[in-house]
Amino acid sequence: MTVPPLESLPLETLRRRSSSKWRTYGDDVIPMFVAETDFPLAPEITRVLAEAVELGDTGYTPPRPGVGEAFAAFADRRFGWQVDASHVLTTGDVMMGVVEVLRAVVAPGERVVTTPPVYPPFAMCTEESGAVVEAVPLRDTGTGWELDVEGIDAALAAGARAVLLSNPHNPTGTVHSREALAAVAASARRHSAVVISDEIHAPLVHTPGTFTPFLAVSDDAAAVGYTVTSASKAYNLAGLKCAVIVTAADDTRRVVRALPKEVEWRTGLFGARAAIAAFDVASDAWLDGLLAALDVNRRLLADLLAEHLPEATYRIPDAGYLAWIDLSAYGWGDDPARRILREVGVALHHGPLFGPQGIGHVRLNFGCSPDLLRTAVAKIGAMTRG
């Protein structure tokens, strides 16, 4: 059965929001930089949060608030992944979880592999943990990107102690193959290293793509892996502060259970309640509608770029609502987002922040209405005629 796409909220409603997307710039700017979407909340989330406000249920988050059980049911239903709820610990957000796991498994000064161009906080959080980034860039296949399995193995053989994966990958929207993930897991186990997999974009894999949870790939992956994820990207809940750290082996579970108690205490009560509602089967239809809307937009963006910016390079992402666009051909400098904001008032994410591979690139958030996407791309295209 075809699912109708969700409709974005009206622009005048969105501009009443007080989040980063709508308060960083003025009303004369179209914001397409940070990963917030423009859709109404899933009704089940709205219901539980409204109930909490009505009750004055704004206190501390209890131990075991039910997020683990809700996530396990969701993972089984949406990914065919069997998760032991007792192996799920909550914390405030994904990068908070990544930092704490890194602190527990990597000594200060040791190296952590990242796969640029990649989400800028990967480098920041690696450094916060006391470790050092070792970049092993994605391979450009000519039609997409893939993990450099041999490069990762060489880095681990030379002493790197961990691999930090973006799975699916931000900003390229790449869904890593089961084979590549299994090879990384085998390499990590062979070299006594660990893999931390950020799977925050997992609910947003587009048909016909298939998401592969790292911990479910193989016995090696289960032994060396830590997954950190959240409902926040798919359901637009970043401000409510709830993420999960998931393990699949006794040794890794002991590491997570030994983290400071404050790691779990950072979970927001509204975040926990909203996550449970998001992971509930009652929100599946909303998620399917979101995916339908994003599918329309990821394809529309290709058409718009062909019309207004024909020298841009864009590959339709396999997951998420973030587009990685190479604008180098236009000569707008290493960081074209700066010029675009200054000249036409469209705010995009700065490509060089994702690593040297991002020079000349921008990241555009298409989790918006088709009309707003049309307006933004037309404005940028007008720069080529100015």
Side-chain angles (χ1 to χ4, degrees):
M1 183 176 71
T2 302
V3 177
L6 285 183
E7 291 189 10
S8 168
L9 292 168
L11 185 58
E12 58 270 22
T13 300
L14 292 166
R15 290 205 181 276
R16 291 167 52 201
R17 288 181 170 178
S18 60
S19 63
S20 180
K21 182 173 185 178
W22 298 100
R23 288 292 180 268
T24 299
Y25 302 103
D27 287 354
D28 57 335
V29 169
I30 298 175
M32 292 183 156
F33 64 110
V34 71
E36 300 178 25
T37 54
D38 296 353
F39 304 96
L41 289 178
E44 184 67 7
I45 296 173
T46 300
R47 184 189 68 77
V48 301
L49 293 178
E51 179 185 69
V53 170
E54 183 180 359
L55 291 172
D57 189 10
T58 55
Y60 292 110
T61 308
R64 311 300 303 173
V67 177
E69 290 75 12
F71 177 75
F74 178 85
D76 187 19
R77 195 170 66 249
R78 302 293 295 199
F79 310 140
W81 175 25
Q82 281 69 56
V83 172
D84 183 340
S86 71
H87 283 241
V88 179
L89 183 81
T90 63
T91 190
D93 59 47
V94 166
M95 297 317 297
M96 191 180 294
V98 167
V99 167
E100 296 300 342
V101 173
L102 281 173
R103 283 181 175 141
V105 299
V106 178
E110 291 186 324
R111 288 173 287 125
V112 174
V113 173
T114 65
T115 58
V118 75
Y119 186 48
F122 273 30
M124 292 184 280
C125 290
T126 298
E127 292 164 1
E128 182 183 341
S129 75
V132 177
V133 172
E134 177 161 352
V136 180
L138 294 182
R139 283 177 173 162
D140 187 335
T141 67
T143 57
W145 294 271
E146 64 184 15
L147 293 170
D148 180 355
V149 173
E150 291 80 9
I152 292 171
D153 182 68
L156 295 176
R161 306 312 312 137
V163 180
L164 182 51
L165 289 178
S166 183
N167 175 41
H169 190 270
N170 173 5
T172 66
T174 301
V175 177
H176 299 312
S177 71
R178 177 177 291 272
E179 294 74 19
L181 293 172
V184 170
S187 177
R189 196 171 193 182
R190 185 165 58 251
H191 298 298
S192 301
V194 303
V195 178
I196 303 169
S197 185
D198 169 359
E199 299 183 355
I200 199 169
H201 295 275
L204 298 175
V205 173
H206 302 292
T207 304
T210 301
F211 170 66
T212 303
F214 180 77
L215 293 177
V217 164
S218 63
D219 289 344
D220 289 334
V224 303
Y226 301 83
T227 288
V228 191
T229 189
S230 172
S232 62
K233 283 293 184 288
Y235 298 89
N236 207 40
L237 304 174
L240 299 184
K241 295 301 175 185
C242 180
V244 295
I245 306 171
V246 188
T247 54
D250 290 339
D251 287 347
T252 51
R253 181 176 187 264
R254 278 192 286 271
V255 170
V256 171
R257 289 297 169 187
L259 294 175
K261 293 299 181 185
E262 189 63 26
V263 173
E264 187 175 15
W265 271 102
R266 292 168 184 156
T267 307
L269 181 58
F270 274 24
R273 293 198 62 164
I276 292 167
F279 293 138
D280 192 272
V281 67
S283 294
D284 279 3
W286 182 93
L287 179 57
D288 292 338
L290 173 65
L291 286 164
L294 298 180
D295 185 43
V296 169
N297 280 0
R298 67 181 180 138
R299 299 176 190 280
L300 172 62
L301 179 57
D303 295 338
L304 293 171
L305 291 171
E307 178 183 356
H308 296 285
L309 292 158
E311 295 183 62
T313 300
Y314 162 67
R315 294 164 181 164
I316 295 175
D318 297 321
Y321 48 81
L322 305 172
W324 188 237
I325 306 170
D326 184 355
L327 296 175
S328 301
Y330 291 101
W332 293 341
D334 288 353
D335 188 3
R338 293 185 181 277
R339 183 168 174 179
I340 291 167
L341 176 62
R342 183 176 65 249
E343 294 192 8
V344 297
V346 178
L348 306 175
H349 210 327
H350 304 280
L353 295 180
F354 294 78
Q357 298 76 14
I359 289 174
H361 289 65
V362 296
R363 193 191 75 176
L364 180 151
N365 176 350
F366 57 82
C368 60
S369 72
D371 284 346
L372 195 62
L373 187 60
R374 290 186 184 97
T375 299
V377 178
K379 280 178 170 285
I380 300 169
M383 293 171 58
T384 67
R385 300 186 293 276

